[in-house]
Amino acid sequence: MIETLNRDCFCVSLDPDALRRALEADPAARGLHRLIEERCPHLFAALPVFVSRRHVDAMAEAIRAVESVAALPSYREAALKWAPAIARFDPGTPGAFMGYDFHLGADGPRLIEINTNAGGALFNTILARAQRACCKDIESLVTGPVATADLERTFFDMFAAEWRSAGRSGLPKRIAIVDVAPEQQFLYPEFLLFAQLFRRFGVEAAVLDPAELSFADGVLRDTRGPIDLVYNRLTDFSLEAPPHAALRDAYLARAAVVTPHPRAHALYADKRNLSLLTDATLLRSWGVNAATVDTLLHGIARTDLVSESDFERLWAARRGLFFKPATGYGSRAAYRGDKLTRRVWMDILGGQYVAQELVPPGERRTGPESSMKSDVRNYAYAGQVQLLAARIYQGQTTNLRTAGGGFAPVLTTPAPSVEQRPRVACGSRQQAAVAD
């Protein structure tokens, strides 16, 4: 099994010089590598994570199943019942950069979370280009269904598709990458990379705070001029904050294409929706076929709404559960059940939480006597996976702040039809592991 390389292979690693060259390939990116070292020194892990083709395919199948159910009117009606009013506005676009996060265990991958503004895609693209392999068999592995050389074009085409789905023609003239105090954000260097990417494809771009925007006479603008498309990195998912009023008004007036948007978050990223996707009785009542129901139940960690009426059962079962705020992000205010105190438990009961089956993360050994946890993110658009990436970490949740951890490329076999089992050299070890 290819996963055995996570235990035994330490000789495929990050090439720091190649990483620096890749980050600063664009002359406008000079100094970006130093900024990353200062701002987020543990952003990139030294080792990749190996994932079998069957697990890659199982994750893709689960994503397609989620997308098929999310398209149903019955599902949308149920999901929008607990969503903010703005989510009922349909801009006509899927939303860019969906992130499907999985834990990989002995019984296969289990989806634990969906994000609608998943960060790190460009970082992981560059990281994949900066790996050195110990042998040709390792070099033959891939990071996902799209070749690394084609990923940036794929990402740009995704934004172009959002533009066209919103009823526009041609390309946007100007794109804004928007977040609160962007220069203070942990992933600010990636905002700069996206601005460079858009410019390389002929579209002007700027990194802005939403407070810099104004909306008047049907035009969203900043001090430099009109903005056609907004790449939304805000964690105010419903655009409720007063400083976001111009962006919200332009979005509702269809004056600018905003992606990802409040409706996408409400339909996918609200964690209460996972309770719908793991309720077999409900799914069958919506007419979901048996194969899709089976895929969802096996591919998603069982999730239930937390309610006071379920107080005793959930407390008794807490050691096997993980508690998450329904609309939270970045693992904030999330708790392992076996570490709960009564005080925190009462806070959970008073909030909007879900209780999710505890699915242990994967393990990546980083040396003969050391190991870290890992998860796998599928970056996807309209149900199609673009890129696979992992996060290696220590602690309760992913953090990108663990020495030796960070984003890591996922390596897998390139085609499911390959049945040969080449032997892979890893230092002094021989692993019959590359192909499943």
Side-chain angles (χ1 to χ4, degrees), residues 283-284 287-298:
L283 292 168
R284 293 185 187 109
V288 179
N289 65 57
T292 300
V293 171
D294 186 64
T295 295
L296 293 170
L297 297 185
H298 284 86

Side-chain angles (χ1 to χ4, degrees), residues 373-386:
K373 301 172 184 177
S374 67
D375 71 355
V376 174
R377 170 168 288 176
N378 288 244
Y379 293 93
Y381 180 61
Q384 298 298 310
V385 177
Q386 301 165 320

Side-chain angles (χ1 to χ4, degrees), residues 131-163:
Q131 299 295 307
R132 58 189 173 205
C134 61
C135 63
K136 289 185 177 180
D137 288 322
I138 294 294
E139 288 176 350
S140 72
L141 301 179
V142 298
T143 58
V146 178
T148 303
D150 297 331
L151 279 168
E152 290 186 354
R153 162 58 76 175
T154 298
F155 295 154
F156 180 79
D157 288 347
M158 172 176 57
F159 285 95
E162 288 287 285
W163 179 251

